[in-house]
Amino acid sequence: MLALEVQRLSVRFGEFQALEEVSLEVPEGAFVAIVGPNGAGKSTLLKALLGLVPFRGEVRVHGQPLEKADPLWFGYVPQIKTFDRTFPALALELVATGLRRRWPFRLSPRERAQALEALERVGASALAHRPLGRLSGGQLQRVYLARALVRRPRLLLLDEPATGVDRVGEVDLYRYLEAYQAEAGATVLMITHDWEAAHHASHVLVLNRKVVGFGPPEKALSEECLRQAFGHLGHAHDLYVGGGHA
Ligand SMILES: Nc1ncnc2c1ncn2[C@@H]1O[C@H](COP(=O)(O)OP(=O)(O)O)[C@@H](O)[C@H]1O
Ligand SMILES: [Mg+2]
């Protein structure tokens, strides 16, 4: 069963073609790492799948056309998390916004329990009653992950979720994701610059406006694919198979 079928998806911003005829098929339960240089259209691809930017082409989610897909199927951690850090809100309340469309000023006991459970799932119970303004970058990432998990999505879209997270936190993050995936049978698409994470994924999508490579890591992370995506191996040197480092 396919979680995601993308056919010839193209996105234009005015004259600028951000994505050109992207096609891919993602089986249910896959863990897809999306890599590519800055400006490659990685974030734009996730936003298109969420219906946040208009596109041409066809997308099916669990066999349904995107318009008919249940919004509750999706969990999303955006790349840039901006909010007014003086806004007097607690971590728990941010997580609960994953259950509703607007800020829940008064949570029902059930919503509170769901939000707490999601925080627990990412090892962040202790943060529940902290004001958002007092969280570190890594803690905020976790709270956003809990927010994405709170509705128990079938499809989890993560835009550089390890940004601002230290190495230990990063390993934890992958552990929580794997645990959730194993339990819920969910499919994960994760944009990352972490070469090691890409090597551990079930599939890698190398993107640079077009699909440069898609498949198992050892195939998609070939030197040729990476040279094509990044223009040179440069900082992507460690990414290709055989270029691993300690
Ligand atoms: N809303 C927008 N309007 C105009 N251009 C955009 C918009 N969003 C993204 N872009 C442009 O599209 C390209 C791809 O952006 P993005 O998907 O954010 O790249 P990535 O996430 O791979 O770094 C960039 O050149 C970016 O400036
Ligand atoms: Mg991006």
Side-chain angles (χ1 to χ4, degrees):
M1 173 75 171
L2 292 174
L4 196 61
E5 293 163 81
V6 178
Q7 272 174 44
R8 302 164 67 106
L9 182 151
S10 298
V11 174
R12 273 183 164 283
F13 296 114
E15 288 297 290
F16 180 71
Q17 181 106 40
L19 289 172
E20 193 179 333
E21 310 229 321
V22 169
S23 297
L24 64 145
E25 293 191 343
V26 178
E28 208 170 334
F31 193 117
V32 183
I34 303 173
V35 303
N38 289 332
K42 304 183 296 296
S43 296
T44 300
L45 176 61
L46 294 194
K47 287 181 198 162
L49 298 177
L50 288 158
L52 299 175
V53 299
F55 62 86
R56 277 185 26 202
E58 243 188 275
V59 176
R60 295 178 82 82
V61 183
H62 293 291
Q64 299 290 326
L66 194 55
E67 321 73 84
K68 289 206 180 144
D70 186 340
L72 294 176
W73 288 349
F74 297 87
Y76 176 46
V77 176
Q79 178 172 14
I80 300 163
K81 294 104 187 151
T82 48
F83 60 88
D84 177 357
R85 286 183 84 87
T86 64
F87 188 60
L90 305 178
L92 182 77
E93 295 171 320
L94 179 68
V95 174
T97 62
L99 293 165
R100 295 200 199 160
R101 305 221 176 278
R102 58 193 177 78
W103 200 266
F105 289 100
R106 202 175 288 162
L107 296 177
S108 70
R110 188 181 142 76
E111 287 171 323
R112 179 170 290 270
Q114 283 175 290
L116 272 173
E117 193 213 314
L119 281 167
E120 219 166 276
R121 212 173 263 288
V122 300
S125 310
L127 304 179
H129 298 98
R130 292 248 194 109
L132 291 176
R134 298 237 201 95
L135 301 180
S136 71
Q139 289 171 330
L140 191 61
Q141 285 281 10
R142 272 196 202 207
V143 172
Y144 266 93
L145 181 61
R147 177 180 182 265
L149 292 176
V150 74
R151 293 193 300 204
R152 306 186 54 81
R154 299 173 79 176
L155 195 61
L156 201 48
L157 307 178
L158 310 167
D159 200 341
E160 303 189 20
T163 305
V165 177
D166 60 30
R167 191 66 212 172
V168 175
E170 212 173 318
V171 171
D172 283 348
L173 169 81
Y174 300 138
R175 245 185 346 143
Y176 299 132
L177 286 176
E178 263 172 37
Y180 175 70
Q181 199 176 18
E183 180 206 314
T187 307
V188 179
L189 270 65
M190 179 176 81
I191 297 173
T192 184
H193 291 291
D194 178 0
W195 312 146
E196 211 167 302
H199 280 289
H200 284 104
S202 69
H203 298 67
V204 175
L205 169 63
V206 183
L207 193 68
N208 193 4
R209 219 166 49 84
K210 300 177 181 186
V211 174
V212 177
F214 179 66
E218 60 276 13
K219 194 173 138 233
L221 297 175
S222 69
E223 186 173 343
E224 197 199 320
C225 273
L226 296 182
R227 203 182 289 282
Q228 213 180 318
F230 290 87
H232 60 93
L233 282 178
H235 73 280
H237 195 75
D238 298 328
L239 190 54
Y240 80 88
V241 172
H245 63 115

